[in-house]
């Protein structure tokens, strides 16, 4: 048994270090089950483990702290972000919450002014009252950070591309500043996925994902994760994971583990379809503006090109007729794009950020940062691109 476990561990390390992304995505963390040889990680649906004598066990004591299905997923998560450690949580928001729990009253955070509404809600409605101060800053120019840095700054939180305006932040430029000042940098990499961008390699300390999205990929699970390299930081976050208890169940871990295995083929198609849909919208006479980071005239296209391997299937747009009636009509007329929150699944979704995903951001704050009531967001899925274009054509009218 000891020999087998060593063999598995070596295999895993070999995959994580030597292999290219597509191979890692399929094999990382996927060891044959030691008890049967099952090629797919079993769902260890158990709350506890039988011990031989007090303190004498197989390394598993209680499932909030240890679960083999979760450990397999965490190994895979680490490998696909080129990190040493992965930690998974019951949702993306729970993963974000764990990072903020590293802070103390009086600490300050600098966060993107354009980001997922639920992250803003967590920061402003839950943590401000514990004495943590948040500054929401336009991070399209990394030097803007300097205006908000002080000795209390402990965390910089960025999303790139941002949800929903597809703004791009230069991760390496931000990391150069935070590293020098010994401030932690966490990047929400949900929109890009590890297929397109690896923030740890660009200097970030922690990568966060809502695995609900591209990692799970099938709109059938809520899940979140953190990936990182620093052992002391991993130990602190593991302590928070088990002490605060926002752990995922083994069934959900299995679903994310399975989703990850097709990430590269799904993402390739998301990128191809995204490009077709973005250009269709841009050439449509009734469309006013399209927000997609793959356009050469996107303000930070050069940075996107430098740090991403493709531009993905997320985009937003506005219409010339931006009356509430017209927007509601378009949002209610698509037949392939489903009107729903969330993103990153195989099926295409259409969403109205102002009233759906970003409703928790006060209207004035949203408008100040360019998120208008007229914005429509698309998560372009992996259906036939022609069908997607036809669907938008008939809905826009
Ligand atoms: C960019 C981004 N980060 C974080 C989250 C939160 O993740 P979850 O819904 O899994 O809690 C979301 C959810 O939409 C998101 O879009």
């Amino acid at each position: 048994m000891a020999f087998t476990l060593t063999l598995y561990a070596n295999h895993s390390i070999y995959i994580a270090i030597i292999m290219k992304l597509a191979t890692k995505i399929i094999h990382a963390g996927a060891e044959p089950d030691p008890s049967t040889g099952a090629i797919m990680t079993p769902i260890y649906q158990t709350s506890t483990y039988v011990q031989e004598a007090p303190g004498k066990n197989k390394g598993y004591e209680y499932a909030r702290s240890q679960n083999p299905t979760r450990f397999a997923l965490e190994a895979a998560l680490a490998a696909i972000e080129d990190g040493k450690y992965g930690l998974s949580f019951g949702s993306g928001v729970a993963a974000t919450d764990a990072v903020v729990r590293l802070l103390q009253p009086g600490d300050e955070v600098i966060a993107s002014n354009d980001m997922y509404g639920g992250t803003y809600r967590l920061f402003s409605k839950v943590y401000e009252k514990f004495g943590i101060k948040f500054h929401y800053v336009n991070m399209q120019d990394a030097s803007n950070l300097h205006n908000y840095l002080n000795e209390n700054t402990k965390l910089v939180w960025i999303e790139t591309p941002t949800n929903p305006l597809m703004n791009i932040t230069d991760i390496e430029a931000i990391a150069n500043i935070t590293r020098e000042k010994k401030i932690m940098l966490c990047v929400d990499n949900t929109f890009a996925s590890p297929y397109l961008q690896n923030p740890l390699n660009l200097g970030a300390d922690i990568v966060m994902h809502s695995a609900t999205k591209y990692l799970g990929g099938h709109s059938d699970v809520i899940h979140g994760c953190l990936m990182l390299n620093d052992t002391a930081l991993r130990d602190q976050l593991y302590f928070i994971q088990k002490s605060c208890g926002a752990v995922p169940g083994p069934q959900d871990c299995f679903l994310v583990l399975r989703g990850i295995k097709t990430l590269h083929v799904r993402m390739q198609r998301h990128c191809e379809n995204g490009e077709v849909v973005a250009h269709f919208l841009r050439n449509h006479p009734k469309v006013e503006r399209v927000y997609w980071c793959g356009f050469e005239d996107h303000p930070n296209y050069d940075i996107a090109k430098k740090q991403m391997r493709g531009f993905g299937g997320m985009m937003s747009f506005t219409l010339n007729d931006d009356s509430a009636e017209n927007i509601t009509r378009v949002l209610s007329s698509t037949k392939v794009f489903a009107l729903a929150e969330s993103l990153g699944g195989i099926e295409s979704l259409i969403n109205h950020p102002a009233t759906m995903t970003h409703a928790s951001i006060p209207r004035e704050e949203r408008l100040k940062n360019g998120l208008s009531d007229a914005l429509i967001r698309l998560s372009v899925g992996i259906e036939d691109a022609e069908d997607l274009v036809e669907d938008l054509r008939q809905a826009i009218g």
Side-chain angles (χ1 to χ4, degrees):
M1 177 72 138
F3 169 74
T4 329
L5 287 175
T6 315
L7 192 72
Y8 290 166
N10 289 342
H11 169 73
S12 212
I13 291 164
Y14 179 73
I15 294 286
I17 295 174
I18 308 290
M19 294 294 171
K20 298 201 173 58
L21 188 62
T23 315
K24 280 190 206 181
I25 278 172
I26 291 177
H27 292 282
E31 307 293 355
D33 180 49
S35 55
T36 62
I39 191 162
M40 286 300 144
T41 309
I43 301 166
Y44 280 91
Q45 194 75 51
T46 187
S47 60
T48 193
Y49 307 88
V50 176
Q51 312 202 10
E52 256 180 70
K56 197 165 173 211
N57 55 58
K58 297 181 166 64
Y60 293 89
E61 294 159 308
Y62 185 62
R64 177 161 29 77
S65 305
Q66 307 101 359
N67 180 284
T69 319
R70 193 178 92 212
F71 283 176
L73 171 61
E74 289 178 338
L77 292 168
I80 62 176
E81 275 294 7
D82 269 349
K84 274 200 203 148
Y85 306 108
L87 288 167
S88 58
F89 294 84
S91 68
V93 163
T96 305
D97 177 79
V99 175
V100 186
R101 282 173 195 268
L102 294 165
L103 306 178
Q104 295 187 359
D107 287 349
E108 297 190 14
V109 179
I110 304 176
S112 300
N113 65 353
D114 168 31
M115 62 179 181
Y116 170 57
T119 307
Y120 176 85
R121 180 176 53 206
L122 178 73
F123 290 174
S124 61
K125 300 275 166 35
V126 178
Y127 278 106
E128 255 174 39
K129 66 170 184 275
F130 290 113
I132 296 171
K133 192 167 174 187
F134 295 88
H135 304 275
Y136 302 99
V137 176
N138 180 337
M139 302 264 195
Q140 291 166 69
D141 179 351
S143 67
N144 287 345
L145 212 59
H146 288 294
N147 302 329
Y148 298 87
L149 289 169
N150 63 48
E151 74 273 13
N152 295 325
T153 313
K154 294 289 155 36
L155 171 67
V156 171
W157 184 277
I158 59 176
E159 241 183 66
T160 181
T162 58
N163 180 1
L165 289 170
M166 304 305 296
N167 288 318
I168 298 290
T169 298
D170 188 333
I171 300 173
E172 203 170 15
I174 298 274
N176 287 341
I177 300 171
T178 53
R179 192 180 315 109
E180 195 201 313
K181 306 261 180 211
K182 299 197 172 23
I183 295 167
M184 198 161 50
L185 171 61
C186 183
V187 178
D188 181 337
N189 202 26
T190 301
F191 261 40
S193 92
Y195 179 77
L196 298 181
Q197 176 174 278
N198 299 115
L200 294 179
N201 294 341
L202 299 168
D205 299 294
I206 307 176
V207 171
M208 176 265 160
H209 280 275
S210 166
T212 310
K213 313 297 180 336
Y214 287 110
L215 297 183
H218 295 75
S219 307
D220 52 10
V221 65
I222 295 284
H223 199 101
C225 55
L226 301 174
M227 293 84 142
L228 64 161
N229 280 315
D230 185 84
T231 306
L233 189 56
R234 184 263 171 203
D235 291 348
Q236 277 178 278
L237 286 164
Y238 173 69
F239 178 80
I240 290 170
Q241 185 196 41
K242 80 171 180 190
S243 305
C244 302
V247 288
Q251 168 93 22
D252 287 354
C253 291
F254 174 85
L255 286 172
V256 178
L257 203 46
R258 188 169 67 167
I260 286 174
K261 289 182 197 299
T262 54
L263 178 69
H264 53 311
V265 280
R266 285 186 285 108
M267 285 309 296
Q268 196 179 342
R269 185 61 71 85
H270 283 297
C271 289
E272 287 163 12
N273 284 1
E275 185 168 359
V276 172
V277 171
H279 282 98
F280 162 74
L281 288 172
R282 183 170 243 200
N283 293 326
H284 197 291
K286 292 187 178 171
V287 171
E288 185 201 38
R289 180 166 173 193
V290 185
Y291 301 77
W292 182 62
C293 59
F295 290 133
E296 285 183 21
D297 56 0
H298 181 287
N300 276 348
Y301 174 75
D302 289 344
I303 297 169
K305 227 177 147 204
K306 180 183 74 161
Q307 67 190 16
M308 299 172 76
R309 291 182 279 268
F311 305 108
M314 292 304 302
M315 67 196 66
S316 298
F317 66 99
T318 50
L319 296 161
N320 293 332
D321 175 359
D322 64 359
S323 62
E325 304 78 61
N326 192 41
I327 288 158
T328 306
R329 184 192 61 75
V330 172
L331 286 163
S332 318
S333 312
T334 53
K335 297 185 167 55
V336 182
F337 282 83
L339 178 63
E341 300 202 8
S342 204
L343 60 106
I346 46 178
E347 69 294 303
S348 293
L349 300 181
I350 190 165
N351 165 56
H352 185 227
T355 56
M356 296 166 73
T357 44
H358 291 67
S360 53
I361 303 179
R363 188 163 184 272
E364 322 74 70
E365 188 71 21
R366 265 199 295 108
L367 295 179
K368 204 169 75 194
N369 300 326
L371 202 177
S372 76
D373 294 341
L375 196 81
I376 297 175
R377 191 189 76 183
L378 298 179
S379 171
V380 175
I382 64 170
E383 301 95 334
D384 189 287
E386 274 180 36
D387 289 336
L388 298 179
V389 163
E390 277 319 305
D391 192 34
L392 290 169
R393 197 193 308 279
Q394 66 77 27
I396 294 169

